[in-house]
Amino acid sequence: MSDVIAMLKAAAMDEHAAIIQYLRHAYSMGEGEEACEIEGIAREEMRHFWMLSRWIVRLGGSPTIERGLVDLAGETLGDWMERDVQAEDRAIHMYRDMLAKIENPDLRADIERILADELVHRGDFEGMAEELAGELPEEADADEAPAPQDVESLGWGVRHEYAAILQYLFHSFLIQDEEVSRQLELQAINEMQHMGWLGEELTESGQDMPLEHHEVNLSQEPQDMLQADIQLEHDTAAMYGQFMERMADPEFKELLEQIRGHELYHEGLFERLLERLVS
Ligand SMILES: [Fe+2]
Ligand SMILES: [Fe+2]
Ligand SMILES: [Fe+2]
Ligand SMILES: [Fe+2]
């Protein structure tokens, strides 16, 4: 059994890495059909990450937020897509290998579903690699370099949103209450959107999107988790409010205001979920 858990953990780390690799590629491309398609694939990798981690918990292991290899090599958009094809190839190989070793029919069904997705992703990335061969990412406008406090705020936001994604996913892996777990997963997807909006703004202004995250609360008890989640939202809304006061670019400010509105909603939602758990 522990062999299976070890395999699932290795797979979860690679799914986590794929989410970040693909999102970084999508955000660095700017708006467009391909970027949307890649973001859609990243959301499916998040679903895989979730499925694998729920299995780890079901089999008595502890889920992990460690990350596998993120491959950001390459100069052109076509090169990036080639790297994504390679990531899918590694995943396909790994899942085939797992299927040769796993007997549990329910787990096999889930792995087969994931493998089928990876085969589709591989084809999608291969197609995009052809379309985007030789294309360079858009150069940022040097005249419109953002103010240092704006770069700092956006970077803080990306690292925060990344931590929030991991924290809510981790908590959703462990919480048995289906509704609470589902809500946490949905809000993690919402935080991923926030990370995208902030990351895109950074990239458009010629900055790299940070790849590291703030500290993640890894509580194991449902009530502790929700309390930590409420606190995180509360502190973040306050921080975004402070950033808004000193940001230079009105568009960035507007964006932060919109995100801050979501965070306040999350805070209220998590309070209601906590009440549901204690009643
Ligand atoms: Fe995947
Ligand atoms: Fe994939
Ligand atoms: Fe957020
Ligand atoms: Fe939030």
Side-chain angles (χ1 to χ4, degrees):
M1 188 63 87
S2 62
D3 279 359
V4 176
I5 293 174
M7 279 192 278
L8 290 169
K9 275 191 166 183
M13 284 168 60
D14 282 352
E15 294 289 349
H16 176 179
I19 298 168
I20 298 303
Q21 178 171 324
Y22 301 166
L23 286 180
R24 167 93 163 220
H25 284 162
Y27 303 157
S28 306
M29 279 182 185
E31 269 155 50
E33 208 181 302
E34 284 92 1
C36 281
E37 195 176 343
I38 299 171
E39 262 188 270
I41 295 176
R43 261 198 304 279
E44 288 193 332
E45 309 301 6
M46 192 188 217
R47 189 71 200 158
H48 298 166
F49 183 35
W50 192 89
M51 289 165 78
L52 295 164
S53 301
R54 285 289 269 194
W55 268 108
I56 292 169
V57 174
R58 207 175 304 169
L59 298 175
S62 12
T64 179
I65 58 161
E66 274 180 66
R67 189 175 73 195
L69 170 82
V70 175
D71 183 356
L72 297 175
E75 297 298 319
T76 69
L77 306 189
D79 294 342
W80 298 352
M81 295 301 97
E82 291 288 350
R83 297 295 171 152
D84 296 347
V85 171
Q86 288 171 20
E88 294 295 339
D89 275 338
R90 290 194 298 274
I92 289 164
H93 182 83
M94 174 178 66
Y95 289 121
R96 284 194 174 135
D97 189 50
M98 275 168 85
L99 282 171
K101 291 173 184 158
I102 288 172
E103 279 164 23
N104 180 327
D106 295 344
L107 176 54
R108 287 186 66 87
D110 279 357
I111 300 293
E112 276 162 8
R113 138 86 202 267
I114 295 176
L115 174 60
D117 288 346
E118 311 304 15
L119 288 163
V120 173
H121 297 166
R122 191 197 185 282
D124 292 344
F125 282 126
E126 211 172 28
M128 287 190 274
E130 263 171 52
E131 275 165 43
L132 298 170
E135 243 180 80
L136 287 165
E138 268 176 48
E139 290 266 341
D141 199 337
D143 301 341
E144 286 176 40
Q149 72 268 31
D150 290 11
V151 173
E152 188 203 325
S153 307
L154 295 171
W156 187 95
V158 168
R159 284 188 289 271
H160 154 72
E161 299 296 344
Y162 185 5
I165 296 169
L166 290 177
Q167 181 163 320
Y168 303 158
L169 283 178
F170 187 83
H171 293 171
S172 84
F173 301 154
L174 289 163
I175 286 187
Q176 293 306 309
D177 183 300
E178 286 290 337
E179 167 68 10
V180 177
S181 176
R182 177 81 187 128
Q183 279 296 342
L184 283 165
E185 190 197 356
L186 286 173
Q187 304 326 311
I189 294 169
N190 193 205
E191 308 300 6
M192 191 162 124
Q193 265 179 311
H194 295 168
M195 187 165 93
W197 295 337
L198 297 164
E200 257 167 34
E201 294 295 349
L202 268 180
T203 316
E204 272 173 32
S205 28
Q207 313 289 320
D208 278 337
M209 179 186 123
L211 289 172
E212 301 313 321
H213 54 78
H214 291 162
E215 204 181 322
V216 176
N217 176 288
L218 300 177
S219 292
Q220 305 270 332
E221 292 304 320
Q223 291 183 32
D224 296 344
M225 293 180 201
L226 280 164
Q227 259 147 10
D229 299 342
I230 292 165
Q231 191 67 49
L232 183 66
E233 293 294 345
H234 184 85
D235 295 346
T236 305
M239 199 65 180
Y240 283 158
Q242 282 180 30
F243 286 147
M244 279 163 58
E245 279 175 25
R246 56 195 186 91
M247 278 182 121
D249 186 324
E251 267 181 46
F252 291 165
K253 246 187 233 185
E254 214 173 288
L255 176 64
L256 270 201
E257 188 173 10
Q258 192 191 354
I259 296 179
R260 185 170 168 273
H262 289 174
E263 313 305 15
L264 291 170
Y265 166 78
H266 293 158
E267 185 183 353
L269 173 71
F270 293 156
E271 274 166 359
R272 292 192 294 281
L273 293 178
L274 178 60
E275 269 167 39
R276 184 191 154 98
L277 281 182
V278 293
S279 64

